[in-house]
Structures are given as C-alpha cells and as structure tokens.
C-alpha cells in the first residue's frame, strides 16, 4: 500500500514539476505562454518577441556558425557570442606569432577587424506553420525553393515539430562576411578550461565580439573590403544594472537537440550502453591529445579546438549518466508508460504503440550502437579524411586550413588506439571483412596503422597533391566509409530508423491522455524562447549554490602553475587596486565585479551565446553552459536543480573596457 502511494506521489510530482520553467517554445506561438511570462516579470508583449511585420527581438538574434547563437548589440552590426563559439575562428586566425587564443585580440578600429573565412551568421526572417499546406498536397521542395527565392542570401527549411505532427517552414537570411572584433585571452574566455566546464561556481568570461558586414545595400554579400557594417532591424539594449535572485530572465536562441519524450528503453540505452562506451573511447582520445599538447606549444594550439570539442561532450555524458540515475528516469518513464498503456488499451489506434516501439528498439539497438562506434573511433581519424578530401579535389586553400592543425604523429597514435578499440568493441559478425583482411595481412592493428601512416602521401601538405586512390590512407578511408552504417545515423534516440515513425502517433496519444503536461517540441536547432528567473539551487544536502559569482572567486582560483587558472596580470592588478571603474558593485558582501550567474531557463547545446534578456527586453547576460546537475536535462529536465550559466553582461563590459582597452565599442552599444 505504502509503496503504491509512493509511486502515485512520485508520478504526481513528476507532472507537477514539469510545470515549472521547463520548455523551449516556438517564438511565433509564444502568445500561449505570455500570461505566465508576465506573471514572472516579463513586461513586453508576444509581438515584441516575434513579429513578421515589424522589427522585433528576433531580428537581434542569429544562428552563429553551424551551432551557436549570437546577438546584435549595436546599429552597426556588432555581435556578441561566446568565446567557445568563436573559438574555431579565433584559432584559425592564430599562430605561434599571433596567438590570439592565448593573448586575446582587440581591433582598435574597423580597419583592424579580422575577416573570418567560412564563418556565417543567419537571421530568421520568418517561420510559418505549413502542416496544412503539406497535408493539402503541396510539395515540400516547392515550398522551400519558393521561400529561398524571396530575397538575397535567403535559405529555407521545413522542420518537424512534435515528431511530424506539425511542420514549420523557417526562412533565414545568411551573411557571410563576419569579422572578429575582439576576444579576451583564453585565461578569461576559457578560464577554468575543461576542469570547470559544466561546473558551478563558475568564473569564465566566455564571450567574444564580432561584426556582421553587408554590401552597400545592407544585403548579404561575400567578403569584400568595400562591405559596410550591417544595420540590423533591431539590436538589444544592454542593461548595466544587472540582475539578482528572482529576477525574470528569458533566453532567445537555437537549442540543438533534446529528447524529452523518448521511452524508457531509449533512456536505458543512453545511460547504460551508449554514454559509457563513448566516455571510455573519448577518455583514450583525450589522453593522447593532452599528452601531445603538453609536449609542444605548437601542438597545444593545433589541438586546442579539437581537445575542447572532444572533452565537452565527454564530460557532459558523465554528468548525464549520473543525472539519469539520480532522477530514476528509466523507472519513472516505465511507470508513466504503464499508466499510458492502461489508458491506451481500449483504443485500437494506440493500444499496440509501446509494444511496437519496444520491438523496434530491440531490433535497432545494435545498429545504432555500430553507428556510434564508427562515429567515435574510425570516422574522426584525420589522415584518412585528408586523403579523401584530396581525392575529391578540395582546393589547396581548404587543404591548407586542415593541415595547419594536423599532426601526423598525434593522429597516428589516435588511429592505433581507435582501431584497437573498434576491433575490441565491434559486435559479432559486424567487422567488415575488408578491414579484417587488412589487419590480418599486416599482423596487427598497430602494424596496419604504421603501414598507412608511414606510406600515405596525405601525411603532408606538400605530398598530398600526388595522391591516388590506392594510397593506403585513401584505401582505409574507403573501407571505413563503405561500411559506415550511415542509414542508422540519427540525431538522437527518437530519430532512429524504423522507430522515428512511431513517435508521431505516440506523442499525439500522450497529448490526448496527459492533458496537464505542457508539451513543447524537442529542440532541433530552430529558434526558441525559454523563460525563468535568476536562482541558486541546492547542489547537495546542505550545500546551497548561490546564483552569482564575482571577481573574488577568480582571484581565489588564481594559480600561475595551472594553465586553466593562470589569471591575467591585468585582472590581478585591477583586483589589487580595487580599480573597477563604473563596473564595481556591492555583491555577495563585498565590492567586486559580477562574473557569472545562474537562472532556471531550459537550455541545450546550441544555446551557447544566446542572449539572456530581462523583463524589459534588455541584455543582462550571455548563456554559455549548464551546471553539473543539469547535464541530463536533454532527457529529463529537473526544475529543482537545472540551471543555465551565463556570463554577466557587466563582466563582459568590464573586460572590454578595462582589460581590452576597447571602450570605444561601448559607445556604439545602447547602454541602459
Ligand atoms: N559546456 C559548454 C557547452 O556545452 C561549454 C563548452 C566549451 N568549453 C570547454 N571548456 N570545452 O558548449
Ligand atoms: N555550451 C553549450 C553550447 O555550446 C550550451 C550549454 C548547454 O549545452 O547547455 O551550446
């Protein structure tokens, strides 16, 4: 009896809790949430957030590169995003002589801004529910092509919401002349490095500054010295007042990928099979990359972005496994599914759904595992990729860019480790014969890799041009890509071949059954709004984490011996002299500079660089991370514990002004 009551209680709490600040909402439908947002302190209207007839906040938000968010903060195209979002661009512009990663960079005039080849930003022009048009027989491609023809630099896509129960057209305008204006040194922008990543308390000044350029007609244009700063329809005013516990916050950006509605079998696979495998493989890769980086300053720069990328998900997955176990997500979902099945039992269209889904997971799990194994071991190896690119006739500029950050011996070590792991972990009967033969011929995985790395013309930029299809690295790449199970590739566990199709009806059924639950579409790198408030949380029994950090914490972590905690001298000096100018405030009991803050906004990867906006529509921070207790929120959001981490805009202004000496940039912002 007691047990039954506890289960019921837990179930009730599950649905109640998800009423809190969970949810990533489509901006064009935000009017349905406005009442709640206003009750939490939002002062503007739905049309201020999204409007197709007038400038609205959406016109100040961009998709930055392939998977981050940025925001416009001046009438002259000035853009803020995270340091880690600009990282690739900053690294590409860096060399041992001009090491902008280590020392930072500040353009002192427009002429000094650095063009970033290949970097683009995209504005959402409009979105439209096209479910009806598609159902009426209009062709997908025709809708997309017509939208893309509407203007210069336009492109469009149709994305499923609620697993295909709804389809939306998204029309974007892409700008490809984007220039680096400034970045703090890594000792600010990546302060705490991978050690502090996904962790609170946090002291990272994770921001960088770019400018969007356009042709003289203010339209997208390829890079040209004649281009002029883009005049956005809207830019965000910046609040210099700051935020404190309880203040309303909203985040506007491009979350990439969540899977909140997957069934228990999928969560079980994530926590007990997939994440553990990927963590183990990446531990091996990181050990090799870190050792190389420690051995040589050139390698440290060459592998900096790769290390950060590999380490980021590696660490997140560790937190995710802990979070899923702590929340008991698998058991909670099993219980939820049991109750759903009882409801569905007498509804013929839904009765067999869960069984079909379970059977499909049982059929597909090994296939997906195999796809993930390739993706984490053989596919990322760079020498074979170089060979493939050269054979495909990639231009010498592109090739040069890859070689700039390539080290044959580091890649050889990675290849040895990853081929051995692949051989060890590949499911019975799934080892490609062509690969087995080659390993066999050379005697061992190591000997085969040595043969490839000793003999391939792709080993250097000078020799690669002479490459032919029988080059050993090209041959290896072909064997790998021929056998790579791309048909099982999926963005997450709701998207697997043969399973995906069940989720549409499943979600439809859930919506009919679970009327209290606020359903929002899973993140899919389309523009979303999430809202909440600035808040601390209880990290562990008796251990409360405050919602903000200050410069004091940076100084407390200062350690010149440790790369990630070597505070720049300029910050030490400012602290010693208490020389904060207008940026000093009384916080946490002392006069200091605010650095980062926590809020309850529901975010995901892709929300990096997203503006955190207060109730009056002003920029108060830039989102860059979640806490260790939040890493499972792509699977289950826990409103009690989940917090996103932002860099306080006052710290951004302080660093630009007092550390970067680029106070002229503040003049073009709208400071309030
Ligand atoms: N965890 C943040 C995100 O998911 C920041 C990643 C970059 N920082 C790093 N130290 N690797 O992207
Ligand atoms: N750092 C993440 C990103 O690059 C955002 C934080 C998160 O995943 O919550 O998108």
């Amino acid at each position: 009896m007691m047990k039954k009551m506890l289960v019921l209680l837990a179930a009730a709490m599950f649905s109640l809790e998800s009423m809190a600040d969970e949810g990533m909402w489509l901006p064009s439908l935000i009017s349905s949430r406005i009442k709640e947002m206003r009750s939490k302190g939002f002062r503007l209207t739905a049309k201020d957030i999204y409007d197709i007839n007038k400038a609205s906040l959406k016109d100040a938000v961009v998709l930055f590169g392939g998977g981050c968010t940025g925001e416009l903060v001046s009438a002259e195209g000035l853009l803020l995003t995270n340091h880690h979002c600009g990282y690739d661009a900053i690294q590409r512009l860096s060399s041992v002589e001009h090491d902008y990663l280590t020392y930072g960079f500040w353009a002192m005039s427009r002429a000094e801004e650095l063009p970033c080849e290949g970097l683009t930003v995209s504005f959402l022009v409009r979105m439209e529910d096209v479910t009806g048009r598609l159902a009426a027989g209009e062709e997908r491609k025709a809708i997309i092509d017509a939208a893309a023809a509407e203007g210069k630099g336009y492109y469009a896509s149709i994305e499923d919401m609620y697993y295909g129960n709804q389809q939306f057209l998204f029309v974007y305008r892409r700008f490809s002349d984007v220039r680096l204006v400034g970045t703090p040194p890594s000792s600010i922008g990546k302060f705490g490095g991978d050690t502090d990543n996904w962790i609170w308390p946090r002291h990272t000044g994770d921001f960088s500054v770019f400018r969007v350029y356009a042709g003289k007609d203010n339209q997208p244009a390829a890079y040209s010295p004649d281009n002029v700063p883009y005049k956005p329809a809207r830019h965000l005013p910046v609040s210099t007042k700051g935020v404190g516990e309880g203040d309303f916050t909203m985040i506007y950006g491009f979350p990439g990928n969540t899977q909140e509605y997957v069934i228990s079998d999928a969560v079980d696979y994530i926590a007990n099979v997939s994440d553990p495998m990927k963590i183990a493989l990446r531990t091996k890769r990181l050990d090799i990359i870190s050792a190389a980086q420690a051995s040589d300053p050139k390698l440290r720069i060459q592998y900096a972005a790769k290390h950060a990328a590999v380490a980021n998900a590696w660490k997140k997955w560790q937190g995710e496994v802990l979070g899923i176990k702590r929340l008991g997500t698998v058991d909670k979902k099993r219980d939820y599914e049991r109750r759903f099945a009882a409801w569905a039992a007498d509804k013929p269209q839904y009765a067999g759904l869960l069984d079909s889904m379970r059977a499909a997971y049982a059929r597909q799990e090994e296939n997906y595992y195999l796809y993930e194994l390739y993706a984490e071991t053989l596919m990322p190896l760079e020498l074979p990729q170089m060979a493939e690119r050269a054979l495909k006739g990639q231009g010498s500029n592109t090739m040069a860019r890859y070689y700039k950050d390539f080290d044959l011996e580091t890649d050889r070590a990675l290849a040895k480790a990853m081929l051995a792991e692949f051989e060890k972990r590949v499911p019975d009967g799934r080892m490609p014969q062509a690969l087995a033969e080659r390993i066999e011929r050379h005697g061992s995985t190591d000997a085969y890799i040595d043969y490839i790395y000793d003999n391939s013309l792709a080993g250097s930029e000078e020799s690669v041009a002479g490459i032919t299809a029988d080059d050993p690295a090209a041959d290896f790449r072909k064997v790998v890509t021929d056998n790579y199970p791309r048909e099982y590739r999926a963005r997450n566990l709701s998207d697997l071949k043969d399973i995906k199709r069940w989720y549409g009806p499943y979600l439809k059924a859930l919506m009919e059954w679970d009327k209290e639950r606020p359903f929002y579409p899973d993140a899919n790198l389309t523009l979303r709004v999430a809202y909440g408030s600035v808040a601390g949380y209880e990290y562990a029994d008796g251990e409360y984490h405050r919602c903000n950090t200050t410069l004091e914490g940076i100084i407390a972590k200062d350690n010149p011996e440790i790369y990630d905690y070597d505070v720049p001298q300029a910050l030490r000096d400012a602290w010693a002299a208490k020389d904060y100018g207008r940026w000093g405030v009384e916080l946490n009991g002392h006069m200091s500079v605010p650095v980062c803050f926590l809020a309850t906004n529901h975010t995901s990867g892709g929300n990096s660089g997203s503006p955190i906006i207060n109730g009056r529509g002003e920029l108060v921070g830039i989102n860059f991370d979640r806490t260790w207790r939040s890493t499972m929120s792509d699977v289950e959001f826990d409103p009690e514990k989940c917090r996103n981490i932002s860099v306080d805009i006052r710290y951004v202004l302080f660093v630009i002004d007092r550390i970067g000496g680029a106070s002229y940039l503040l003049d073009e912002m709208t400071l309030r």
Side-chain angles (χ1 to χ4, degrees):
M1 181 62 193
M2 191 59 195
K3 206 163 163 204
K4 195 163 167 206
M5 268 179 60
L6 280 176
V7 168
L8 283 174
L9 197 69
M13 277 170 60
F14 187 36
S15 54
L16 261 186
E17 277 183 0
S18 50
M19 301 283 290
D21 294 323
E22 177 172 3
M24 306 171 162
W25 309 97
L26 290 167
S28 63
L29 303 179
I30 199 67
S31 54
S32 68
R33 312 299 310 176
I34 275 293
K35 223 176 108 198
E36 220 208 65
M37 290 173 73
R38 292 186 66 96
S39 77
K40 287 176 176 272
F42 188 57
R43 307 268 180 79
L44 309 178
T45 65
K47 288 220 177 260
D48 291 319
I49 294 176
Y50 178 91
D51 194 343
I52 44 169
N53 302 311
K54 277 202 339 270
S56 57
L57 288 175
K58 81 147 178 33
D59 298 306
V61 181
V62 296
L63 179 64
F64 182 88
C68 274
T69 306
E71 53 276 3
L72 278 288
V73 290
S74 91
E76 294 171 90
L78 200 66
L79 177 153
L80 294 177
T81 185
N82 289 146
H83 180 262
H84 80 262
C85 294
Y87 206 72
D88 278 327
I90 300 164
Q91 192 212 332
R92 276 195 202 134
L93 294 166
S94 296
S95 58
V96 175
E97 299 76 49
H98 295 283
D99 187 352
Y100 303 137
L101 278 184
T102 303
Y103 301 107
F105 166 79
W106 295 98
M108 284 304 156
S109 70
R110 300 262 160 99
E112 285 179 17
E113 295 172 358
L114 300 172
C116 303
E117 202 197 320
L119 181 61
T120 62
V121 304
S122 300
F123 292 80
L124 179 69
V125 178
R126 65 185 174 88
M127 54 189 290
E128 179 189 333
D129 185 345
V130 292
T131 319
R133 288 173 65 182
L134 288 168
E138 266 190 80
E139 238 193 277
R140 221 179 160 90
K141 186 169 178 315
I143 298 178
I144 292 174
D145 290 349
E150 281 169 20
K152 198 165 170 190
Y154 277 37
Y155 69 98
S157 71
I158 292 179
E159 305 295 341
D160 283 341
M161 300 294 158
Y162 303 110
Y163 307 104
N165 286 309
Q166 240 180 341
Q167 283 93 19
F168 272 81
L169 170 71
F170 292 86
V171 186
Y172 300 94
R173 191 152 72 129
R174 175 161 45 209
F175 288 79
S176 55
D177 185 351
V178 182
R179 304 186 194 171
L180 179 64
V181 174
T183 171
S186 288
S187 53
I188 289 178
K190 202 175 186 264
F191 183 76
D194 288 321
T195 318
D196 281 11
N197 193 21
W198 302 108
I199 298 284
W200 183 261
R202 192 64 156 279
H203 300 89
T204 313
D206 197 343
F207 80 96
S208 54
V209 190
F210 290 80
R211 192 185 303 280
V212 184
Y213 278 77
K216 296 226 161 60
D217 55 1
N218 207 33
Q219 299 290 318
Y223 169 78
S224 156
D226 299 333
N227 284 349
V228 294
Y230 169 63
K231 297 198 167 22
R234 181 77 179 256
H235 68 270
L236 298 179
V238 176
S239 166
T240 57
K241 291 229 186 64
V243 277
E245 182 97 38
D247 286 347
F248 174 88
T249 55
M250 109 175 200
I251 180 166
Y252 210 163
F254 290 88
N257 193 354
T258 61
Q259 40 189 340
E260 311 285 352
Y261 305 100
V262 292
I263 65 170
S264 53
D265 302 53
V267 181
D268 187 28
Y269 171 79
I270 294 167
N272 295 311
V273 180
S274 170
D275 282 359
M277 164 181 75
K278 294 185 292 190
I279 293 162
L281 292 170
R282 288 196 175 201
T283 302
K284 295 219 146 65
R285 277 163 78 188
L286 287 168
D287 286 347
I288 292 167
I289 296 173
S290 302
Q293 285 187 293
S295 73
D296 179 352
K298 185 167 171 223
L299 288 172
R300 182 179 53 69
I301 298 177
Q302 284 182 316
Y303 279 79
K306 291 173 215 171
H307 186 284
V310 175
N312 190 41
W314 166 79
K315 191 164 180 186
K316 185 198 143 169
W317 291 324
Q318 297 178 49
E320 185 172 78
V321 171
L322 292 173
I324 288 172
K325 299 210 160 142
R326 179 167 38 85
L327 290 176
T329 309
V330 174
D331 285 341
K332 263 195 282 188
K333 290 218 177 210
R334 286 216 170 107
D335 175 62
Y336 186 75
E337 287 152 16
R338 225 171 280 129
R339 289 181 291 123
F340 167 76
W343 171 84
D346 61 355
K347 301 177 184 61
Q349 73 276 34
Y350 298 141
L353 260 179
L354 276 172
D355 288 340
S356 304
M357 294 171 88
R358 297 226 150 91
Y361 274 117
R363 278 196 305 280
Q364 296 299 347
E365 181 175 315
E366 184 180 295
N367 293 329
Y368 189 60
Y369 176 87
L370 189 68
Y371 151 72
E372 293 201 289
L373 182 63
Y374 272 89
E376 290 291 324
T377 54
L378 306 182
M379 290 300 282
L381 299 175
E382 288 189 274
L383 180 77
Q385 289 178 7
M386 297 291 198
E388 183 184 44
R389 288 191 191 110
L391 280 175
K392 281 188 175 154
Q394 285 277 3
S396 56
N397 277 349
T398 313
M399 292 304 288
R401 210 167 72 199
Y402 287 113
Y403 277 108
K404 179 175 172 291
D405 296 327
F406 172 71
D407 177 65
L408 184 67
E409 292 315 315
T410 306
D411 202 53
R412 182 200 300 260
L414 288 168
K416 284 185 179 170
M418 289 303 104
L419 184 57
E421 286 294 325
F422 181 84
E423 190 184 46
K424 189 170 101 192
R425 291 170 188 267
V426 68
D428 284 346
R430 306 302 286 265
M431 181 70 164
Q433 210 190 329
L435 190 56
E437 275 168 21
R438 282 160 175 76
I439 296 169
E440 168 98 48
R441 200 180 316 140
H442 292 276
S444 69
T445 52
D446 276 7
Y448 176 39
I449 293 297
D450 275 330
Y451 166 74
I452 297 172
Y453 282 68
D454 287 344
N455 294 293
S456 172
L457 290 182
S460 81
E461 195 181 345
E462 291 67 44
S463 59
V464 73
I467 204 165
T468 56
D470 55 12
D471 179 272
D475 171 74
F476 175 77
R477 180 71 183 175
K478 186 166 181 330
V479 170
V480 171
T481 53
D482 281 353
N483 289 285
Y484 173 56
R486 34 177 82 56
E487 65 277 29
Y488 302 117
R489 183 164 69 190
R491 55 187 297 134
N492 63 41
L493 268 294
S494 70
D495 192 42
L496 309 200
K497 188 179 159 69
D498 185 29
I499 293 177
K500 194 180 159 138
R501 66 191 164 114
W502 301 108
Y503 271 102
Y506 177 57
L507 210 69
K508 190 158 172 279
L510 285 188
M511 286 169 162
E512 268 177 60
W513 167 61
D514 191 359
K515 294 215 166 58
E516 298 300 299
R517 186 170 174 185
F519 288 93
Y520 54 93
D522 263 328
N524 56 0
L525 210 64
T526 58
L527 191 59
R528 303 296 177 93
V529 171
Y531 54 87
S533 53
V534 175
Y537 69 108
E538 189 168 85
Y539 173 80
D541 185 36
E543 195 176 339
Y544 187 79
H545 280 183
R546 260 193 210 179
C547 66
N548 46 26
T549 58
T550 68
L551 187 53
E552 305 304 305
I554 298 184
I555 299 302
K557 285 178 178 173
D558 186 11
N559 186 342
E561 305 293 306
I562 306 176
Y563 186 79
D564 287 339
Y565 296 107
D566 189 4
V567 173
Q569 193 55 40
L571 264 188
R572 287 186 195 122
D573 294 345
W575 178 79
K578 300 282 171 276
D579 176 19
Y580 307 140
R582 59 196 283 209
W583 311 112
V585 295
E586 188 73 29
L587 199 61
N588 297 354
H590 36 248
M591 177 56 81
S592 195
V593 181
V595 175
C596 293
F597 67 86
L598 294 176
T600 62
N601 303 315
H602 189 182
T603 57
S604 186
N607 269 129
S608 274
S610 300
I612 304 291
I613 297 170
N614 67 14
R616 291 177 298 277
E618 299 156 349
L619 185 66
V620 291
I622 309 173
N623 182 71
F624 70 96
D625 208 3
R626 277 172 283 175
T627 63
W628 190 238
R629 291 278 185 263
S630 313
T631 40
M632 74 297 159
S633 73
D634 297 342
V635 178
E636 183 182 345
F637 184 87
D638 174 5
E640 291 279 307
K641 303 278 184 207
C642 286
R643 299 292 180 268
N644 62 311
I645 305 178
S646 304
V647 54
D648 193 303
I649 203 66
R650 293 170 292 177
Y651 187 54
V652 172
L653 299 173
F654 167 78
V655 170
I656 294 176
D657 180 17
R658 312 290 290 204
I659 307 296
S663 60
Y664 77 95
L665 291 172
L666 273 45
D667 299 338
E668 64 174 286
M669 299 180 191
T670 308
L671 299 186
R672 282 194 194 146

